[in-house]
Amino acid sequence: MLLNIYLISHPIIKLLSKSFISTQINETQNNYKYKYISLFLFYEMMRKYLQIKIIYVKKVSYIETFYLLESNKEYYIITNLLNTYNAIGEIKILMPNITILNINSQAQLLYRDIKGINKSTNKMKRIIILENILDQQSIIELITILIKENNIYIENIHIICITCYNQILDKLGKKYPKLNIYTTQII
């Protein structure tokens, strides 16, 4: 297994994920923990790849500063909104230019929903696959579609998941050894 696995060990993430796994809590608290852990993982992943341009505008008596995302990059989040709706709303507020693609496990819908990525050809695309628990084989099919059909480089595909299973990581490592995965725990 030659994957680029980033096991995030920030103290807040450790506290949230440990209490999430160890105790039986109600669904509302569970959703909040999923949301905040997902946001922290998203932050850790994006701080390496997000680049901002600083623009200075001279006014009469002062200089105003603006911060803009680079215009030559597009960011996509591919997720099943039924599982990750609580974090996606917050991510969309933080990064309004990000495109969210909803997928489910049905293959026909998978092809249809991902076709939107090919609309702009001259921009570099970064794909973020957001899952709560990485445990399904369909993730391999999704990555294959992104690489073969949409010409996305494997270095530009990132998986964010709270927990992931070792069996899926082994299969991903054999097929896509340069894939980046951000997680809090490997089961």
Side-chain angles (χ1 to χ4, degrees):
M1 177 168 54
L2 299 171
L3 292 169
N4 296 323
I5 299 175
Y6 299 96
L7 197 59
I8 307 301
S9 61
H10 190 278
I12 294 174
I13 292 177
K14 282 185 174 183
L15 285 173
L16 286 173
S17 63
K18 189 66 172 172
S19 65
F20 172 74
I21 294 167
S22 64
T23 61
Q24 294 294 335
I25 53 178
N26 66 25
E27 190 171 332
T28 305
Q29 287 177 330
N30 233 359
N31 285 337
Y32 280 121
K33 289 183 181 189
Y34 270 136
K35 176 174 130 179
Y36 291 121
I37 293 171
S38 297
L39 285 173
F40 281 125
L41 287 171
F42 181 76
Y43 165 76
E44 286 293 325
M45 192 274 312
M46 288 302 285
R47 69 186 185 125
K48 285 185 179 180
Y49 301 105
L50 195 63
Q51 295 175 346
I52 295 177
K53 286 185 179 179
I54 301 172
I55 298 176
Y56 300 100
V57 177
K58 183 164 173 57
K59 302 280 182 157
V60 175
S61 60
Y62 65 95
I63 296 176
E64 192 169 351
T65 306
F66 293 98
Y67 300 97
L68 301 173
L69 290 175
E70 279 192 332
S71 60
N72 66 342
K73 294 181 182 170
E74 287 183 343
Y75 296 92
Y76 294 89
I77 293 181
I78 300 175
T79 187
N80 186 346
L81 287 175
L82 291 175
N83 298 333
T84 60
Y85 67 91
N86 46 12
I88 289 295
E90 299 290 327
I91 291 171
K92 190 67 175 169
I93 290 170
L94 295 173
M95 288 186 61
N97 296 341
I98 201 163
T99 304
I100 298 169
L101 300 174
N102 183 28
I103 60 162
N104 58 17
S105 59
Q106 296 176 355
Q108 296 94 5
L109 295 175
L110 189 67
Y111 286 107
R112 186 193 70 199
D113 292 338
I114 295 180
K115 283 188 178 183
I117 294 176
N118 280 338
K119 288 181 183 174
S120 63
T121 56
N122 58 350
K123 293 189 176 184
M124 188 168 82
K125 299 169 181 75
R126 296 230 185 247
I127 309 296
I128 303 158
I129 301 171
L130 180 64
E131 292 284 333
N132 287 337
I133 300 171
L134 187 64
D135 62 350
Q136 296 180 359
Q137 295 281 17
S138 60
I139 200 77
I140 297 171
E141 181 183 349
L142 172 63
I143 294 169
T144 304
I145 292 169
L146 288 170
I147 292 171
K148 291 185 179 173
E149 302 288 325
N150 296 14
N151 300 321
I152 306 292
Y153 297 113
I154 192 68
E155 294 85 14
N156 293 333
I157 298 174
H158 310 282
I159 297 176
I160 298 174
C161 59
I162 296 172
T163 60
C164 53
Y165 284 93
N166 196 20
Q167 296 86 358
I168 297 296
L169 293 178
D170 286 338
K171 291 177 183 176
L172 283 170
K174 288 176 185 171
K175 193 157 186 179
Y176 303 110
K178 293 184 180 179
L179 186 64
N180 296 311
I181 298 177
Y182 295 81
T183 186
T184 63
Q185 182 179 16
I186 299 173
I187 299 174

